[in-house]
Amino acid sequence: MTAYVAEPVYLNGQFKPLAEAGVSPLDRGFLYGDGVYEVIPVYSRRPFRIDEHLTRLQATLDGIRLANPLTVDAWKSVIFKLIADAPWEDQSVYLQVTRGADDKRDHAFPPASVAPTVFAFASPLVTPSAEQRTRGVSAITVADERWARCDLKVLSLLANVLARQAAVDQGCTEALLIRDGYLKEGAASNIFIVKDGVLLAPPKTRLMLPGITYDVILELAATHGQAVDVRELTEMELRHADEVWMTSSTKEILPITTLDGQPVGNGQPGPVAARMWQWYQDFKNHIMRQG
Ligand code: PMP
């Protein structure tokens, strides 16, 4: 076991040590990034929103025309075994399916006899520290240079990789992606803004990943009477927001307090983020810890 990967891992129907989990170098995930993935947070050994994650996995598989190699029940038994065997209470479970390894290199799909490659493992869940949450983090904006199906959670993440590295190079936590003057999302997160007490979010289109956390936040806003407007947000609105947050399964709700070197609002995490973070924790604790 490494500090990051629990053992056994799951590969193509078998649970085995990481060192024995070999994949062909002709695997299309390796050659083309031809595959899909999911990341499911686990609290107190209970996967959060597992059905929604498996539904998004199916939508992505449909989007790349790859048959789902496992039934929902089979996925769940893999996930529950990984969780049970891992040493941590809170985890993140990674799932990946590629279009498998043919005996040659050809962009077009391999014959039906080529089995997909299915890989999954559990890691410790690392959510932001209390210090990060109370201070907020820094972000930059970059041009969104991804393809036109950002709603699919595919392995081909090069544009996201370059965007996030640009952020890291500048000592920042996230890169916010701007396409044609509109805010889409972060390199690895969805983005919300707050203006005059209203929570604003970009709509789900083909140019944004439909985050599971994004849905939870909109549900919590509705439950608690928080005003919401889901619509396209301009780069100008982003720059003049009172609050900006990044959200994801592992970051939960993390305030961005510096954007391109300028303070967001008054430069401190805002009250709407603090309320939403508490609603999110209460929701998690209620659903996951008490059942
Ligand atoms: N957008 C992108 C590009 C992502 O990679 C992620 C997940 N890391 C998200 C949004 C957030 O999705 P979720 O809330 O399901 O983790």
Side-chain angles (χ1 to χ4, degrees):
M1 194 176 95
T2 70
Y4 184 77
V5 177
E7 290 181 320
V9 302
Y10 174 87
L11 182 68
N12 297 331
Q14 293 184 318
F15 291 91
K16 48 174 74 172
L18 182 62
E20 291 170 24
V23 176
S24 165
L26 288 179
D27 193 277
R28 295 176 63 94
F30 185 55
L31 293 180
Y32 301 110
D34 183 359
V36 310
Y37 74 107
E38 268 300 325
V39 179
I40 307 175
V42 174
Y43 302 106
S44 302
R45 296 189 185 272
R46 293 185 195 182
F48 184 60
R49 298 240 154 167
I50 185 171
D51 291 313
E52 290 80 353
H53 280 279
L54 292 176
T55 299
R56 185 171 66 183
L57 178 72
Q58 183 66 56
T60 299
L61 288 166
D62 292 345
I64 72 158
R65 299 169 56 196
L66 179 55
N68 195 333
L70 299 183
T71 62
V72 167
D73 284 347
W75 276 118
K76 285 186 179 174
S77 61
V78 168
I79 292 164
F80 284 116
K81 175 156 171 59
L82 291 172
I83 292 171
D85 290 347
W88 316 286
E89 290 294 298
D90 291 354
Q91 306 172 20
S92 90
V93 172
Y94 180 84
L95 313 177
Q96 176 174 306
V97 184
T98 78
R99 214 181 302 273
D102 199 357
D103 54 8
K104 61 179 183 308
R105 185 177 178 280
D106 178 357
H107 286 60
F109 293 175
S113 56
V114 172
T117 303
V118 185
F119 177 51
F121 65 91
S123 299
L125 181 68
V126 182
T127 51
S129 65
E131 201 211 320
Q132 275 185 312
R133 284 190 293 102
T134 49
R135 283 204 185 172
V137 296
S138 306
I140 59 170
T141 55
V142 298
D144 189 352
E145 293 178 336
R146 298 173 301 165
W147 70 328
R149 289 306 306 273
C150 305
D151 57 323
L152 303 177
K153 202 163 171 65
V154 292
L155 294 183
S156 326
L157 285 168
L158 194 49
N160 306 61
V161 166
L162 292 172
R164 215 179 101 65
Q165 186 58 40
V168 169
D169 288 345
Q170 296 184 47
C172 292
T173 301
E174 184 57 304
L176 276 49
L177 306 174
I178 309 289
R179 194 184 293 236
D180 299 330
Y182 292 95
L183 167 67
K184 295 300 167 191
E185 59 182 323
S189 60
N190 289 113
I191 305 294
F192 288 79
I193 74 176
V194 176
K195 187 67 182 175
D196 298 329
V198 179
L199 181 60
L200 300 164
K204 287 183 189 173
T205 67
R206 286 188 167 198
L207 297 178
M208 183 188 99
L209 188 81
I212 306 298
T213 319
Y214 170 101
D215 282 343
V216 175
I217 287 169
L218 292 181
E219 287 170 31
L220 289 171
T223 304
H224 293 277
Q226 165 65 49
V228 171
D229 199 356
V230 176
R231 60 172 173 78
E232 293 292 351
L233 301 174
T234 66
E235 182 177 354
M236 275 304 130
E237 287 180 289
L238 169 67
R239 295 198 188 284
H240 293 109
D242 300 327
E243 299 183 27
V244 178
W245 323 334
M246 57 187 288
T247 73
S248 77
S249 293
T250 54
K251 295 283 189 274
E252 301 186 333
I253 295 136
L254 186 57
I256 292 169
T257 45
T258 306
L259 185 62
D260 292 330
Q262 301 297 313
V264 173
N266 65 8
Q268 303 293 318
V272 185
R275 280 199 290 277
M276 184 58 76
W277 184 82
Q278 192 58 56
W279 294 336
Y280 194 85
Q281 300 310 312
D282 292 347
F283 180 72
K284 252 170 46 181
N285 292 337
H286 180 69
I287 300 287
M288 310 308 295
R289 304 200 196 267
Q290 277 93 48

